[in-house]
Amino acid sequence: MELVLYNTLTRKKEVFTPLRPDEVGFYVCGPTVYDLAHIGNARPVLVFDVLYRLLKRHFAQVTYVRNITDVDDKINAAAAEKGEAIGELTKRTTQAFHEDMAALGALPPDIEPRATEHIAAMVAMIARLIEKGHAYVADGHVLFEVGTMPDYGRLSGKNRDELIAGARVEIAPYKKDPADFVLWKPSDPEIPGWESPWGRGRPGWHIECSTMSGAYLGETFDIHGGGRDLVFPHHENEIAQSCCAHDGKPFARYWVHNGFLNVNSEKMSKSIGNVLTVRTLLQQAQGETVRFAMLSTHYRQPLNWSDETLVQAKEKLDRLYTALRQAGDVPSKDAAIPEAIEAALLDDLHTPEALSALAGLASALNKAETEAEKADAKGKLLAAGAALGLLQQDPEAWFRWWPAGETQLDATEIERLIALRDKARMAKDFKEADRIRDALAAKGILLEDRGGKTIWRHAG
Ligand code: AMP
Ligand code: ZN
């Protein structure tokens, strides 16, 4: 089976073949660590987690590199505003990012380089660009001269005027051309800086990713990912820097970009006050619900996040977990990932189709009669879930999860009330039995009578 990916560089779907047989190098732009991750930041993490899992199934060696941008002017501004040391802020935010992404079931990358640990390599790359005539020093800055790169603008498909307008360049009299961008800038004594041939300063954002991807994956590598918003200028500039520093050798071969995520049809922004953090969402829903909701839209489509998105995802996951729960303790038979799921994922990560196929596997499990049929159907459903990073919970635990802030009923107390209701029913006191059921429902506990046994779950 072939993997097909939409390549932003060629604007078409292409069959993916790695540079070296059976080995894949894959880089994704990671977070700038100055604040908690919002749900938009989680989109590339989850989309590329699905790709990572898929690549690992089809290629013997996959190296997934996702960086941490821990030097950036947004970080300096946030630390000053909070009165916190920069190192503390980046450490705390990185840890929160790891916790949040783990809660969403995202596998950690193989390598997670930090920009501050690669400054020497950035300085060396900038020096090489100057030496080769692609960059110049002006007023304590080093700038990349875009006019020296004939292919500049190829990834984003922008013309020169759009490039200049899109670069949103501040008026900088030292630039030869308004589209030139910063590789190195001077640092005042109170902000982070490193010694360099051009004085004490810090790197521009784009050179960080060119340096870190090259350091772990080589000059030319297979896949580079990130959100659509990064196509220009970030990725365009990464290509310019890397190709020019490496004598025109190609940089990433396949460029994969996820679409943007809006909340209630609006762009998330601090000024509107609609920034939805992953942390907040995880109080309202389980990680798998957020993950299911995210993957319900194809990664290249824009995604409009609303309360309804979570409700629908929860309903669908409940149905899958119900099938597993009803199958009881039947041991699942090891199964390959069902064809329908794998074919959907290999077709440019068609997660919506893969998720619908899960529903079919759950119905098959519901219909299974013999132990052998159940073991087989359960194995298939679990294997398919694992391919998507779903159905990783014990079904009982799934249904007993509580949103934060709701008064939590103790499980023993619930069992006690169920026993009382059973007693009432045996005594044909249906009024009392219904009263207990309704009282539990009012607290969000739903009862289901099945095969002489009553099981409960939380409605939230
Ligand atoms: P940042 O920390 O802003 O550099 O972003 C980290 C990653 O999140 C990048 O790949 C961005 O493209 C992506 N990203 C940020 N906001 C959104 C959004 N609203 N929708 C989708 N992706 C986003
Ligand atoms: Zn990057």
Side-chain angles (χ1 to χ4, degrees):
M1 282 195 279
E2 284 177 337
L3 166 61
V4 170
L5 289 173
Y6 181 87
N7 188 351
T8 309
L9 196 60
T10 55
R11 289 166 184 73
K12 54 178 196 277
K13 280 186 173 184
E14 291 177 7
V15 173
F16 172 75
T17 45
L19 198 56
R20 283 173 287 274
D22 240 14
E23 254 181 57
V24 182
F26 168 33
Y27 184 90
V28 175
C29 293
T32 304
V33 282
Y34 64 100
D35 211 346
L36 288 175
H38 58 62
I39 185 66
N41 299 132
R43 192 170 192 199
V45 174
L46 293 179
V47 163
F48 294 115
D49 183 63
V50 172
L51 178 58
Y52 181 39
R53 288 167 190 260
L54 182 66
L55 290 169
K56 276 158 86 81
R57 291 199 291 279
H58 292 266
F59 299 94
Q61 199 193 318
V62 181
T63 308
Y64 175 21
V65 183
R66 189 183 64 214
N67 71 294
I68 297 278
T69 295
D70 60 353
V71 47
D72 187 278
D73 289 353
K74 278 184 272 184
I75 298 175
N76 301 340
E81 193 191 315
K82 292 190 168 89
E84 189 176 9
I86 286 171
E88 270 310 304
L89 172 70
T90 55
K91 192 172 152 213
R92 186 171 58 77
T93 315
T94 303
Q95 195 183 334
F97 178 76
H98 287 158
E99 287 165 10
D100 291 349
M101 297 309 129
L104 299 181
L107 301 172
D110 298 295
I111 304 172
E112 193 176 52
R114 284 165 172 71
T116 50
E117 290 168 4
H118 294 79
I119 304 286
M122 293 175 205
V123 168
M125 190 168 194
I126 296 170
R128 203 172 322 134
L129 286 168
I130 298 177
E131 196 186 292
K132 292 181 189 288
H134 291 293
Y136 58 95
V137 184
D139 208 10
H141 293 69
V142 184
L143 292 134
F144 185 92
E145 190 171 352
V146 297
T148 67
M149 158 111 190
D151 248 9
Y152 189 76
R154 185 174 152 214
L155 181 74
S156 55
K158 287 187 190 292
N159 65 34
R160 212 191 123 67
D161 288 346
E162 288 170 325
L163 289 171
I164 295 172
R168 272 185 271 119
V169 278
E170 50 201 283
I171 298 167
Y174 48 81
K175 285 187 184 180
K176 286 192 194 170
D177 183 309
D180 293 350
F181 60 89
V182 168
L183 299 171
W184 188 261
K185 53 190 160 187
S187 288
D188 288 339
E190 72 280 4
I191 56 171
W194 290 263
E195 290 310 325
S196 82
W198 322 287
R200 184 177 175 279
R202 59 197 190 283
W205 171 37
H206 317 306
I207 198 76
E208 296 182 8
C209 284
S210 276
T211 305
M212 291 185 277
S213 55
Y216 296 99
L217 300 174
E219 294 179 351
T220 303
F221 61 90
D222 295 306
I223 305 174
H224 194 314
R228 269 225 78 74
D229 55 319
L230 301 187
V231 172
F232 183 83
H234 186 51
H235 291 162
E236 196 77 74
N237 293 351
E238 278 188 44
I239 295 175
Q241 297 162 152
S242 294
C243 289
C244 291
H246 303 142
D247 301 317
K249 281 202 202 99
F251 181 44
R253 302 167 59 239
Y254 297 82
W255 284 87
V256 182
H257 291 103
N258 64 271
F260 220 60
L261 178 149
N262 287 328
V263 170
N264 296 320
S265 308
E266 266 184 320
K267 188 177 167 161
M268 263 183 288
S269 105
K270 280 202 173 135
S271 54
I272 304 177
N274 64 345
V275 177
L276 196 52
T277 65
V278 172
R279 211 137 265 216
T280 305
L281 276 173
L282 287 172
Q283 309 242 301
Q284 301 160 12
Q286 302 190 69
E288 285 194 12
T289 309
V290 177
R291 187 177 174 100
F292 193 108
M294 188 72 84
L295 299 178
S296 303
T297 300
H298 187 262
Y299 79 94
R300 281 196 282 125
Q301 298 299 316
L303 196 164
N304 183 29
W305 191 274
S306 68
D307 289 343
E308 195 49 31
T309 319
L310 271 185
V311 171
Q312 284 176 5
K314 170 83 165 71
E315 273 172 21
K316 290 183 178 152
L317 269 169
D318 274 355
R319 260 179 252 149
L320 304 179
Y321 272 113
T322 301
L324 288 173
R325 191 188 211 189
Q326 267 171 248
D329 297 334
V330 184
S332 61
K333 193 171 148 208
D334 277 347
I337 292 157
E339 166 87 30
I341 305 271
E342 200 67 336
L345 294 176
L346 287 166
D347 179 14
D348 197 27
L349 304 182
H350 208 309
T351 53
E353 210 171 288
L355 293 178
S356 325
L358 284 180
L361 295 169
S363 323
L365 176 56
N366 287 334
K367 287 188 199 121
E369 283 172 8
T370 64
E371 292 282 295
E373 281 170 3
K374 279 188 189 173
D376 190 47
K378 188 173 170 186
K380 284 191 179 131
L381 178 57
L382 286 175
L388 292 151
L390 296 169
L391 305 180
Q392 304 291 297
Q393 311 269 319
D394 169 63
E396 292 305 322
W398 173 261
F399 286 111
R400 288 171 187 203
W401 182 86
W402 246 278
E406 279 186 27
T407 342
Q408 192 162 336
L409 266 190
D410 182 55
T412 355
E413 175 61 8
I414 298 170
E415 303 290 353
R416 191 184 69 84
L417 290 168
I418 291 176
L420 277 181
R421 173 171 168 266
D422 284 346
K423 230 167 144 187
R425 289 206 302 175
M426 301 245 268
K428 303 231 172 328
D429 185 353
F430 296 114
K431 217 171 134 199
E432 174 62 3
D434 287 349
R435 190 195 63 76
I436 296 174
R437 170 193 277 267
D438 294 347
L440 280 167
K443 291 190 168 137
I445 304 298
L446 304 184
L447 305 185
E448 274 174 58
D449 299 311
R450 239 188 248 135
K453 228 181 108 200
T454 304
I455 50 174
W456 63 269
R457 68 185 174 95
H458 188 265

